[in-house]
Amino acid sequence: MTQFKCWTFRARRNGIVVSLLACTILAGCQRRETAPAAIVHWNRNPLTPNAMAPLPLGSVKPQGWLRQQLQIQANGLSGHLDEFWPDLGPNSGWLGGSGESWERGPYFLDGLVPLAYLLEDQRLIAKAKKWDDWTLENQRETGAIGPDPRKGKYAREWQATDWWPNMVMLKVLTQYQEATGDPRVIPLMQKYLRYHLEHATERPLVQWASYRWAEEILSIVWLYNRTGDKELLELARALRPQAFDWKSHFADFRYPAKVTKEQISLKTHVVNNAMALKTSAVWWQISGDETDRNAVYTLLDHMDRNHGQANGVHSGDEHYAGLDPTQGTELCAVVEGMFSLEQLLAILGDPAFGDRLERIAFNALPATFKPDMWAHQYDQQVNQVMCSIDKKRNWTNNGPDSNIFGLEPNFGCCTSNMHQGWPKFAAHLWMATRDEGLAAVAYAPSRVEARVRAGVAVVIEEDTEYPFRETIRMTVRPAKPVAFPLTLRIPGWARDAAIVVVGKREEGVKPGTFHTIERRWQAGDTVEILFPMPVRTETRYRGTVAVLRGPLVFSLKIGEDWKKARGQEPHADWEVHPTTPWNYALVIDPQNPAASISVEERPLGAVPLSPDGAPVVLSARARRIPEWKLIAGSAGPMPENPFRSTETEETVTLIPYGSTNLRLTLFPRVASGK
Ligand SMILES: [Zn+2]
């Protein structure tokens, strides 16, 4: 009965404060299905203060094209994978069965939980809850969680007692707790982490766990901020000596190029490195040591210089693969890199991480999926002119089918781990700031509902077609007039950005900073933002140029022939062959690209992240390079640059990288006068 009252009350709520009060006052009303848990938890003493705090899952809701994208995801593999993929079927060890019992169940949930609650999709919520409930109801007396190691199926013997999959499950449970307030989560985590402390010495982190230990530290910090239990910090300190030392790895970085097969190890693994982006900052919260904070920048400097790609990620197919745009990047590294940046934004509060997050989210992430999200690649290439099964491909160690679009190309880790990319991006667009305000750290159509100064509930509607358009309109709706700071990230590329607050233009708006607006906000106050997006270029690998507009990278649109390779639709495996030429050099002045490139904005349709749905289309001038040919399924070695060409000049079409399946992104230039 009390639960019924709570639901009734919630239906009439006018802000999360009300819903929180309602649920607190009505004793016995313990379970909520979709309400945000309202309270932001800051780092407690003695932790290093975090710059910003992520809002509880459910506080930020995607709108517009972003909601549409999450819906495409829900209608594709993410919403159906468990219905036919045995590793996530009813026999999973994470549902009490004797099937797959290592990382795949938790990986899947790490994306399914935020996807389900952000869309408020009851079908997906019911799916996720079945898994959450199993873990919550099957904790052992000892405190251990997860599949029964005597019964489960493991590829390697050590996996039966591995801490790693539990680290992912803890991240799942923290999200689920934020979305629902389920009172079972915190006691389970307390008991489990005490169990880990008791056994930390006799059963140290091994293999992947020792490279990915920061994932557990995130949950330790999450719980410590809620309970203040000092034993948790003791556990964190016990894990540190068992963990791989990423700070030292990058202080003396020895992998300036694509690694050889002999050099391959867990420290050269692209997913471990994408997760390690955040490790030193996560640990800095506990150590307070400035060298830990600085280590983040040392890592990025080495990785960008030696393995950076135009789509915002680092190469790794699946180990360090250098700057050549025909090398691949594994999908797990894309979504883990995004999650790392979301955590870095919160901990360090550096707006540059927002630029980088958008670069990956709007380019690398969508490009590596079939537009209907029923298939994905293992490896994507920045210059990807054919997706095919080819034994001769130039990967460091991946298999012949790594760049086809399929259910499980090369290996099934990405099949289970890819789901977190879009929903976590949506959930982290907004964060709480230390001065009791809100910050827009990345931009996309959304609605945020949170408490600001004096506990006043505020809704901000962000109406935009960014990143395809230059303008964003925010409408602020506090429950009552309230003074609080609204902080906006000004992207590093956004020269001449303009912000107009209720008709008045802000002064001192600078690219690459957070701009804070302090005012007493009334319901209906508007903030209009203009981020001018002239076409610009970057010079990259061997003097090639990449063309950009705002956070979007642009690529040559290549005609596609989708050939079914195997499997059953809709989740079949596909090769994609080019039907139009790709071997072009651009006729472009890198200092003045607008002179040779024109921009056309097209209406956003049902699938903007598809070749035909591209909402921005550029026309550029180019000449063919007849001797630049396919080698082993990829564009052959980059031609001399600038390229001297007597071929006829043509007009070519460039579309957003994220809208492509085949693409040329790094172009040689035609030498001037030729
Ligand atoms: Zn993977």
Side-chain angles (χ1 to χ4, degrees):
M1 187 59 200
T2 45
Q3 189 144 4
F4 175 72
K5 273 185 196 162
C6 177
W7 281 104
T8 320
F9 202 95
R10 272 202 55 242
R12 293 200 304 266
R13 80 196 158 99
N14 188 24
I16 51 185
V17 177
V18 177
S19 75
L20 183 81
L21 284 175
C23 288
T24 310
I25 291 164
L26 295 170
C29 176
Q30 296 178 322
R31 306 275 176 86
R32 290 172 297 135
E33 293 298 322
T34 59
I39 293 180
V40 167
H41 294 268
W42 292 94
N43 281 0
R44 284 184 184 227
N45 270 332
L47 299 180
T48 313
N50 39 347
M52 293 188 277
L55 295 166
L57 182 66
S59 308
V60 185
K61 292 273 165 55
Q63 305 286 314
W65 75 261
L66 184 58
R67 183 179 169 85
Q68 204 173 297
Q69 190 60 39
L70 263 68
Q71 196 58 58
I72 290 171
Q73 181 179 352
N75 295 342
L77 274 182
S78 297
H80 296 281
L81 185 56
D82 57 320
E83 293 159 19
F84 59 87
W85 202 50
D87 283 354
L88 297 174
N91 197 33
S92 164
W94 289 93
L95 292 171
S98 57
E100 205 278 341
S101 296
W102 197 50
E103 65 184 10
R104 293 192 177 176
Y107 261 167
F108 177 54
L109 288 172
D110 196 26
L112 182 65
V113 165
L115 181 67
Y117 286 98
L118 292 194
L119 287 175
E120 297 172 282
D121 180 323
Q122 295 306 318
R123 184 180 74 89
L124 298 189
I125 287 172
K127 277 191 182 207
K129 202 158 184 313
K130 181 177 68 176
W131 297 76
D132 295 328
D133 281 345
W134 188 85
T135 293
L136 289 165
E137 288 162 10
N138 287 280
Q139 184 167 31
R140 264 96 69 194
E141 267 311 303
T142 58
I145 60 167
D148 181 344
R150 294 162 306 180
K151 190 171 159 194
K153 182 178 140 200
Y154 301 93
R156 305 269 185 283
E157 206 176 314
W158 54 264
Q159 290 175 341
T161 53
D162 188 10
W163 300 104
W164 156 243
N166 298 345
M167 294 183 192
V168 185
M169 197 62 200
L170 292 179
K171 289 192 296 183
V172 171
L173 292 173
T174 58
Q175 294 179 83
Y176 167 73
Q177 194 279 344
E178 290 179 5
T180 65
D182 191 319
R184 298 173 296 173
V185 172
I186 287 177
L188 173 131
M189 287 178 66
Q190 287 174 307
K191 193 170 172 184
Y192 170 74
L193 292 169
R194 201 169 301 128
Y195 163 78
H196 193 171
L197 179 60
E198 281 163 15
H199 296 272
T201 309
E202 70 180 63
R203 187 144 62 88
L205 304 177
V206 296
Q207 301 277 341
W208 304 93
S210 64
Y211 292 81
R212 299 173 171 183
W213 66 294
E215 310 304 312
E216 182 152 333
I217 304 296
L218 285 176
S219 292
I220 287 173
V221 168
W222 185 95
L223 189 59
Y224 178 70
N225 288 342
R226 283 158 177 79
T227 66
D229 177 0
K230 293 274 191 326
E231 256 186 17
L232 292 164
L233 305 185
E234 204 183 311
L235 171 60
R237 291 197 186 92
L239 297 181
R240 178 69 190 86
Q242 305 174 4
F244 179 69
D245 187 350
W246 287 104
K247 184 167 70 173
S248 300
H249 176 71
F250 283 101
D252 179 24
F253 190 62
R254 298 184 176 188
Y255 302 93
K258 180 179 165 178
V259 292
T260 61
K261 285 211 163 52
E262 293 68 42
Q263 286 177 305
I264 286 174
S265 70
L266 289 179
K267 62 189 168 193
T268 63
H269 190 272
V270 67
V271 185
N272 289 346
N273 276 265
M275 298 170 82
L277 283 184
K278 64 180 171 302
T279 298
S280 292
V282 171
W283 180 244
W284 175 66
Q285 296 177 101
I286 289 169
S287 75
D289 179 346
E290 280 303 300
T291 66
D292 287 321
R293 178 193 174 99
N294 297 340
V296 174
Y297 296 93
T298 307
L299 178 158
L300 280 169
D301 183 42
H302 283 299
M303 289 298 282
D304 287 347
R305 219 155 7 99
N306 299 304
H307 306 288
Q309 293 287 342
N311 53 3
V313 293
H314 301 117
S315 68
D317 48 26
E318 60 194 45
H319 292 264
Y320 294 149
L323 298 170
D324 189 322
T326 63
Q327 296 296 152
T329 299
E330 184 191 335
L331 170 49
C332 281
V334 174
V335 294
E336 293 293 355
M338 289 174 64
F339 180 64
S340 286
L341 290 163
E342 289 152 9
Q343 298 305 314
L344 284 172
L345 269 164
I347 298 167
L348 300 182
D350 179 343
F353 298 127
D355 290 13
R356 197 179 277 267
L357 173 62
E358 288 187 355
R359 183 100 167 223
I360 301 175
F362 299 143
N363 298 285
L365 178 67
T368 201
F369 289 96
K370 188 165 172 267
D372 64 9
M373 294 193 78
W374 269 106
H376 71 278
Q377 297 175 292
Y378 193 82
D379 288 329
Q380 69 176 297
Q381 299 158 287
V382 163
N383 281 359
Q384 177 171 287
V385 300
M386 181 186 264
C387 299
S388 60
I389 301 171
D390 192 328
K391 286 186 180 146
K392 295 198 177 129
R393 280 192 185 273
N394 197 27
W395 315 130
T396 54
N397 68 323
N398 283 153
D401 62 348
S402 294
N403 86 342
I404 65 166
F405 289 84
L407 171 62
E408 196 180 353
N410 190 58
F411 188 66
C413 54
C414 306
T415 311
S416 47
N417 189 22
M418 64 193 198
H419 314 278
Q420 62 171 308
W422 281 120
K424 288 191 189 171
F425 175 68
H428 289 89
L429 292 169
W430 290 88
M431 293 194 188
T433 53
R434 286 225 156 247
D435 47 12
E436 298 178 280
L438 288 169
V441 301
Y443 296 98
S446 58
R447 179 182 192 277
V448 58
E449 188 174 357
R451 292 199 296 182
V452 294
R453 209 167 274 168
V456 177
V458 172
V459 170
I460 301 177
E461 284 150 15
E462 180 178 347
D463 183 15
T464 183
E465 291 183 342
Y466 183 95
F468 310 108
R469 303 290 186 266
E470 299 174 318
T471 57
I472 298 165
R473 182 186 171 89
M474 293 176 178
T475 309
V476 184
R477 300 190 193 285
K480 61 180 187 187
V482 59
F484 74 93
L486 176 64
T487 296
L488 304 172
R489 181 185 124 258
I490 314 300
W493 48 260
R495 288 195 196 140
D496 304 320
I499 298 172
V500 175
V501 182
V502 198
K504 186 167 174 291
R505 185 161 173 171
E506 285 284 301
E507 303 285 336
V509 177
K510 292 195 189 72
T513 65
F514 277 117
H515 181 87
T516 298
I517 304 159
E518 270 278 7
R519 73 178 265 122
R520 187 174 165 81
W521 299 91
Q522 315 261 0
D525 282 356
T526 57
V527 179
E528 287 156 294
I529 304 169
L530 171 70
F531 292 140
M533 297 180 180
V535 172
R536 67 186 197 282
T537 60
E538 281 178 1
T539 301
R540 303 189 70 97
Y541 177 70
R542 293 194 180 168
T544 52
V545 288
V547 177
L548 297 96
R549 181 180 185 259
L552 297 180
V553 181
F554 280 76
S555 307
L556 178 72
K557 184 179 182 182
I558 298 173
E560 302 170 352
D561 178 18
W562 287 70
K563 296 174 190 280
K564 192 158 100 175
R566 59 196 179 202
Q568 283 183 336
E569 293 182 45
H571 50 80
D573 288 359
W574 303 87
E575 291 195 339
V576 190
H577 292 237
T579 61
T580 55
W582 55 264
N583 48 354
Y584 284 102
L586 281 185
V587 180
I588 190 169
D589 173 1
Q591 304 307 317
N592 183 20
S596 58
I597 294 181
S598 62
V599 179
E600 183 195 343
E601 292 186 345
R602 295 183 180 170
L604 260 74
V607 193
L609 296 165
S610 65
D612 293 336
V616 188
V617 176
L618 309 186
S619 297
R621 308 296 296 163
R623 292 186 192 200
R624 293 281 297 278
I625 307 177
E627 56 269 46
W628 194 15
K629 294 202 160 74
L630 268 183
I631 295 180
S634 292
M638 193 63 78
E640 64 165 304
N641 190 29
F643 185 77
R644 302 195 172 277
S645 171
T646 53
E647 298 290 312
T648 314
E649 196 167 302
E650 303 173 41
T651 300
V652 295
T653 300
L654 311 187
I655 58 174
Y657 182 109
S659 296
T660 62
N661 302 298
L662 297 180
R663 68 189 80 89
L664 194 74
T665 311
L666 294 197
F667 290 88
R669 276 186 304 118
V670 175
S672 55
K674 288 284 166 188

Tab-separated table of all heavy atoms in Angstrom, residues 330 332 378 413-414, ligand 1:
chain	number	residue	atom	x	y	z
A	330	GLU	N	40.045	-1.269	-31.798
A	330	GLU	CA	39.002	-2.183	-31.319
A	330	GLU	C	37.856	-1.408	-30.668
A	330	GLU	O	38.079	-0.447	-29.938
A	330	GLU	CB	39.638	-3.154	-30.310
A	330	GLU	CG	38.662	-4.204	-29.821
A	330	GLU	CD	39.195	-5.000	-28.634
A	330	GLU	OE1	40.426	-5.103	-28.472
A	330	GLU	OE2	38.360	-5.518	-27.864
A	332	CYS	N	35.918	-2.100	-28.161
A	332	CYS	CA	35.988	-1.998	-26.694
A	332	CYS	C	36.812	-0.774	-26.274
A	332	CYS	O	36.511	-0.140	-25.263
A	332	CYS	CB	36.625	-3.241	-26.081
A	332	CYS	SG	35.520	-4.649	-25.944
A	378	TYR	N	34.877	-5.286	-35.022
A	378	TYR	CA	35.875	-5.417	-33.955
A	378	TYR	C	36.860	-4.248	-34.108
A	378	TYR	O	37.068	-3.499	-33.171
A	378	TYR	CB	36.590	-6.763	-34.075
A	378	TYR	CG	37.393	-7.122	-32.855
A	378	TYR	CD1	36.773	-7.696	-31.754
A	378	TYR	CD2	38.759	-6.888	-32.798
A	378	TYR	CE1	37.506	-8.028	-30.617
A	378	TYR	CE2	39.494	-7.215	-31.672
A	378	TYR	CZ	38.863	-7.789	-30.583
A	378	TYR	OH	39.592	-8.109	-29.460
A	413	CYS	N	34.278	-10.079	-27.188
A	413	CYS	CA	34.300	-9.101	-26.084
A	413	CYS	C	33.491	-7.857	-26.452
A	413	CYS	O	32.676	-7.376	-25.657
A	413	CYS	CB	35.730	-8.724	-25.722
A	413	CYS	SG	36.735	-8.139	-27.089
A	414	CYS	N	33.710	-7.354	-27.688
A	414	CYS	CA	33.001	-6.137	-28.087
A	414	CYS	C	31.490	-6.396	-28.179
A	414	CYS	O	30.692	-5.498	-27.882
A	414	CYS	CB	33.500	-5.615	-29.425
A	414	CYS	SG	35.279	-5.357	-29.534
B	1	ZN	ZN	36.394	-5.930	-27.631
